[in-house]
Amino acid sequence: MTNEIDFSSTKVLVFGDVMLDEYWYGESHRISPEAPVPVINMKSKEFRLGGAANVALNLKSLGSQVNLISSVGDDQDSIVIENLLGEANIMPIFNKVNDAISTKKLRLISNSQQLMRVDFESKPEAHNPGNYNSYEDLITKADIIVVSDYAKGFIYDPQALIKIIKKANKRVIVDPKRYDLSSYFGASVLTPNVLEFKKMTGEFKDQDDFNKKAFKLIDDINLDALLITRGSEGMTLYKNKEIFHESTTSKEVYDVTGAGDTVVAAFSACLAMGMSHEDSMNFASKCASIVVSKFGTSTVSQDEIKP
């Protein structure tokens, strides 16, 4: 796993909720006389891609061919999202909704610390596409499909989408946010973080109980495998009654924002190459260890992974 992997032949289709991450940077040296809050003297601002758009950007950074399908509002933020994707040579297929707004997270940063996050979003039903039938041709042309479900509305009916993908005999990797497990029945791989897994299956007493719940989840919703990201403890893969674990190699965790996007992108790109689940997890773990050392939603390139 030390040589660079050529992902250029892989075709990955990403369905999901795109977001715009906006950062306002400033300095704070005093408390407001109006309320016990810091006063920030603004210096600059920056836009980055988040959610499913960050998954697509990570795939592109690794070298894969990417198509991105999502929903946005008919607003200025959607134009910013499209421009950022265009700079990365990703041409999205967006369902533009007149009476909805594009999902955005605005973060106020001072002295390298996040002071506040402000979310802008419509109710999920506003981004409901109705059905996914019009995307069947793109599904058949892809090597693998990623469903990045942030519960913002475009993946309104994940089960309907999974059925279309499975009918086309394609594998689907799902990064889940909802806890109705029947929604993801039949997915190839589910990639929850440990908190999401706990909400799906309930509290666990110890590691043995954790493992039992993982295998039960695989059986209950008919998965091929389950990949659980566990923060500083690395990530664990459950497959065919076997357990594989990768410890984190990150020397410093600066910001975990978007790390799950990097994991699902790297893992899916490797599977599209024909690599095993275990080797795919190994590569994804290396990517995650790099991206958490960066500030904000970020990507990783293969040059950074080389030993």
Side-chain angles (χ1 to χ4, degrees):
M1 294 291 294
T2 58
N3 296 324
E4 183 171 322
I5 305 168
D6 183 4
F7 291 112
S8 61
S9 65
T10 60
K11 299 177 182 178
V12 186
L13 178 60
V14 179
F15 284 90
D17 301 302
V18 298
M19 303 178 194
L20 181 62
D21 286 340
E22 184 172 356
Y23 296 88
W24 288 7
Y25 301 99
E27 296 178 354
S28 177
H29 303 290
R30 63 190 178 96
I31 300 299
S32 171
E34 305 166 355
V37 295
V39 176
I40 302 174
N41 182 18
M42 288 299 303
K43 297 296 184 182
S44 63
K45 68 178 181 179
E46 177 187 16
F47 293 105
R48 299 189 190 185
L49 294 168
N54 189 38
V55 175
L57 192 61
N58 271 273
L59 283 159
K60 190 71 174 182
S61 181
L62 289 171
S64 292
Q65 301 174 47
V66 188
N67 278 313
L68 172 64
I69 301 175
S70 188
S71 174
V72 292
D74 189 6
D75 52 21
Q76 182 60 37
D77 286 337
S78 72
I79 296 173
V80 176
I81 293 170
E82 288 175 329
N83 288 340
L84 289 172
L85 288 166
E87 290 172 8
N89 291 317
I90 300 172
M91 299 297 110
I93 300 169
F94 281 160
N95 178 28
K96 283 206 170 185
V97 184
N98 290 329
D99 55 351
I101 63 172
S102 302
T103 302
K104 179 170 73 173
K105 296 176 181 178
L106 169 62
R107 297 174 176 91
L108 275 61
I109 312 297
S110 175
N111 306 328
S112 300
Q113 296 292 323
Q114 183 180 152
L115 300 184
M116 181 182 293
R117 193 182 92 182
V118 183
D119 288 4
F120 303 82
E121 59 186 49
S122 295
K123 292 182 178 180
E125 51 265 30
H127 288 287
N128 180 2
N131 63 69
Y132 305 97
N133 296 331
S134 60
Y135 307 117
E136 288 184 10
D137 186 53
L138 285 169
I139 289 171
T140 60
K141 292 178 180 178
D143 295 320
I144 202 163
I145 291 87
V146 174
V147 175
S148 179
D149 184 5
Y150 274 86
K152 302 301 181 185
F154 187 69
I155 310 299
Y156 204 78
D157 188 351
Q159 187 56 209
L161 179 55
I162 289 170
K163 286 180 178 178
I164 292 173
I165 295 168
K166 299 295 282 188
K167 184 180 178 182
N169 292 317
K170 301 293 181 176
R171 288 177 295 177
V172 52
I173 314 303
V174 180
D175 191 6
K177 284 296 182 289
R178 67 188 72 217
Y179 310 119
D180 174 12
L181 297 180
S182 62
S183 299
Y184 303 123
F185 185 88
S188 304
V189 184
L190 216 60
T191 65
N193 62 40
V194 69
L195 293 177
E196 292 162 349
F197 174 72
K198 190 183 296 185
K199 289 181 179 179
M200 290 174 177
T201 62
E203 294 288 339
F204 51 89
K205 296 178 290 186
D206 50 29
Q207 186 60 48
D208 284 343
D209 191 36
F210 186 94
N211 294 339
K212 288 177 182 177
K213 288 181 181 295
F215 286 124
K216 185 176 186 301
L217 175 58
I218 289 174
D219 290 339
D220 286 348
I221 62 173
N222 196 29
L223 303 174
D224 294 337
L226 175 67
L227 177 64
I228 304 175
T229 55
R230 307 177 69 171
S232 61
E233 295 181 24
M235 57 186 72
T236 308
L237 174 71
Y238 296 86
K239 175 190 174 187
N240 296 333
K241 301 302 180 183
E242 291 186 282
I243 303 172
F244 306 89
H245 185 75
E246 284 284 344
S247 298
T248 182
T249 58
S250 178
K251 297 177 181 176
E252 179 181 357
V253 177
Y254 187 70
D255 192 345
V256 298
T257 305
D261 299 332
T262 299
V263 169
V264 73
F267 184 75
S268 300
C270 288
L271 289 181
M273 278 289 295
M275 294 168 60
S276 69
H277 289 84
E278 300 93 304
D279 286 344
S280 299
M281 176 180 65
N282 176 276
F283 184 81
S285 178
K286 291 178 179 178
C287 292
S289 69
I290 293 167
V291 83
V292 296
S293 67
K294 302 178 181 182
F295 176 78
T297 44
S298 304
T299 61
V300 60
S301 67
Q302 294 210 39
D303 287 339
E304 296 172 286
I305 304 166
K306 292 177 182 178

